[in-house]
Amino acid sequence: MAFRSSVTTTFNVYKTLQPIYTGGDVGLGNDGRVLLTCLGEEALLTDLDTGQLLARVEGDGEILTTLLVTPSLSHLIACSRSLFMKIYSIEPLEDSSRLLNIALQRTLKPHTTPVVVGAVDRTSTLLATGGADGIIKIWDIRGGYVSHTFRGHAGVISALYFFEAPMTAIKSDSVKHKLRSQASNHDREDTVMLDQDGKQSDAHTFYLASGSEDGKIRVWDLVKRKSIAILDSHVSVVRSLSFSSEQNALVSASRDKTAIIWDSWSWKAKKVIPTLEGLESIGFLNSGALLYTGGESNFLRIWDVKTGREVTKEQTAGGDDDGILHILHNSFLGFLITVHTNQTLVLHSLAPLLKLELGSSLDPLPVLRRVSGTHDEIIDLAYVTPSRELLALATNSEDIRLVSLARQKVEEAAGTAGQYFGADVALLRGHEDIIICLDVDWSGCWLATGAKDNTARLWRINHVEKSYESFAVFTGHAESLGAISLPSQPPPIGSAAHTSPLDHPPVFLLTGSQDRTIKRWDVVSKTLAKGDKRLPRAIYTRKAHDKDINAIAVNHSSTLFASASQDRTVKIWSVEEGEIQGVLRGHRRGVWSIKFAPKDTPAISGDSGPASSNRGLVLTGSGDKTVKIWSLIDYSCLRTMEGHTNSVLKVIWMPPPQQSGDLKTPRSSRGVQVATAGGDGLVKIWDTNSGECDCTLDNHTDRVWALAVNPEDNMIVSGGGDSVVTFWKDTTSSTIAASAAASTARVEQEQRLQNYVHHGNYREAITLALQLNHPARLLALFTTVVSTNSPEPGSLSGLKAVDEVLQSLADEQLFTLLLRLRDWNTNARTAPVAQRILWVLMKCHPATRLTGLRGKGKGSGLQEVLNGLKAYTERHYKRMEELVDESYLVDYTLREMEAVGFVDGEITIGVSDTVMV
């Protein structure tokens, strides 16, 4: 018989891994910790060391085209396709957290076309914007006004860069001819500018370099407000500019696959470096002795400025969809950040450059760590490592991302940069196409993946030694793999395989493919003698289904496995022989997911009675929006659970209830539960005995493809098409404890309220009645006070204690009381009490306070309450006026009857008329 569980199951969001970057501009503060990124129309400020979201700036509905942060982290500038530019101030919050307060200072319309590029000078006071109209404007950030407007470019502005240099380093065209005769007799390095006292001048002048899509570069003198040089050597769009005061040189990078170093004295090309790739970013390193470049090859490259030679050794070209969009560098920091087209940020160490010898080469700069801007669509995930401290993500790409689940506080994480919850740990590369499925063995040390490249791979995860390597490749399927499974049965305790799981890979691997076949593979152990070149081989291949295979699962004893297909069937197979043991039919659409019940799962009550789990139970989820539990005794359906509004994409069994210790714990009282994820973006927890949904978890905006649970703490993790990974913490115990404590406290408060009423302590009684939200008792209290026969002198309500209570009410209590008065005013019997208390409130509180009251609900304010009071008050007064009018008739009748007298049974009317009665 089905029954509803008496224990409430609750899960709350513990943490989420959300996208921080989906393309666009990226900025970094001088401290190297605050990272500014674009997320569609929003801007995010994130702590690079701890991963903490410091602030979020809402957009205006349009995609951001330019996003900048000042080096001093004083202001943020955002420009969007709406043609508006917003300037925000950045200030730390007063509390001890690192959270930032973002306040909008002003909104401007800088150009008639969208702002496509911008730059901020090193003093954080000047802002340059370049539009698609070819106009450049320089703004005072704090004042919000335009200080310069430059015209001259014929195309879209593509690069801007502020720099300053001594007056001796840069000469404009107007003074060059005056010094030409002097320069012919002396070296340029010996030519200096003298001040009025005849001493060498060290005055600096501010300049702005700009590049456009026509390949031309202009240098603007901000003091003279004009262009002092036009550099025309590139044949494609100029993407990046930088200046070195040590070298007195400007460098430009273009998509014409060249980098040009310009002499700031003559503005002639000093050196042209063919990079053989379209460049997106460039800058100086080591006091101008080196250059860094990034572009379409997806690699960070270092160049010698003097010779034009590439210092880094040759690197293999990246994929077609890879490339570097931006490079963030600050001379105060020991690293630089490359921003890639796949929304990944990579931190590179600059330490090897400090030991670089002249003319030598070096390996590519070491990667300190990676930061995933977005995980894209989460297709599958799994806990890995024995302690379940890493999460493996299949993210709609050919790589597997390993994410840290280290549960550190923000303060602790600050000491170990990059070791925070959700930080990228490693990237497993090897597949050549998108990974669709993955599975992990009992130990968490072995991870199996299947991809669209028709292959499966087995990965060895050694987190202690930071070793994550591909152990074996399984090739043989004719089409992409859609299902994969490893045995989950742990070896005997004390055995070598149990003690050292890293040295003992799984015995076999099962795969299912779109070619409608399943294969069992023999995994070759690395303990074999060196030189053994045997490759993993398929023990058997079976034509399993008529359509694509979506899922494969192995039971807890590794004797049976199940396959689920789009042909709406589930088949049970023997692991050893690969023979069909049974077929489960009943779903009306394709079956997306399947799981065997864990070991020691209690018996489940089906529609026809209790079913033993000795033989086995199978859980399935289908495109027909249903979840089914099957018995392997007779291959019948025990229970069907309905509740999802879209396809059920993933199903899992929750860890079995505790069978030892305190049997009164909430987890042991719940019975057997399962979790499901659907295309409706919901995760549901089900009671298998009743078939009822215990709770629904909602934190995704797209379909949820992936679902897993940590057996140690019941932590559920879900991943979906919205690029969000949500960790759900089991809060059932705390919820039940809090509910019990709240119930006990409420009973005690109600008893206190009754005691106050009994003893006539109206002050405390009214306050407690408002707190407990008891309108009936509150009305009874006010009725008793208002209708008292002996009111206290000077009291508005009847009792001075009640007047003091009404005067001392908090805003929330005052608004709640007004709501109660509105309700009481609708009844003619309680309206006098409501009117009296309302009059007292109006006398006790100024109008300025009453007009500022607002409730918790959306749109609930004093105006709504007053409208309700006004409508019924007018009705009550109208009724009173009608009663007054009718009273005049009664008065008239009584006055006329006073003249009527009874004399000897006769009624005398007037003077002479007599009527006999």
Side-chain angles (χ1 to χ4, degrees), residues 780-791 797-798 833 836:
L781 289 171
F782 283 131
T783 303
T784 303
V785 173
V786 170
S787 60
T788 180
N789 294 327
S790 56
S797 62
V833 177
R836 179 70 172 272

Side-chain angles (χ1 to χ4, degrees), residues 90-163:
I90 304 176
E91 295 180 355
L93 293 179
E94 295 180 357
D95 56 11
S96 58
S97 67
R98 282 183 51 83
L99 299 181
L100 301 175
N101 180 37
I102 308 296
L104 178 63
Q105 297 297 307
R106 53 182 52 87
T107 301
L108 307 169
K109 192 171 184 180
H111 296 265
T112 58
T113 58
V115 177
V116 294
V117 66
V120 179
D121 77 321
R122 68 173 183 83
T123 64
S124 302
T125 58
L126 296 179
L127 165 69
T129 58
D133 53 5
I135 298 176
I136 300 171
K137 292 185 179 181
I138 299 180
W139 305 76
D140 184 285
I141 296 179
R142 291 179 174 84
Y145 58 85
V146 178
S147 60
H148 300 72
T149 299
F150 296 135
R151 292 179 174 85
H153 286 288
V156 177
I157 307 300
S158 58
L160 293 171
Y161 188 81
F162 280 105
F163 66 96

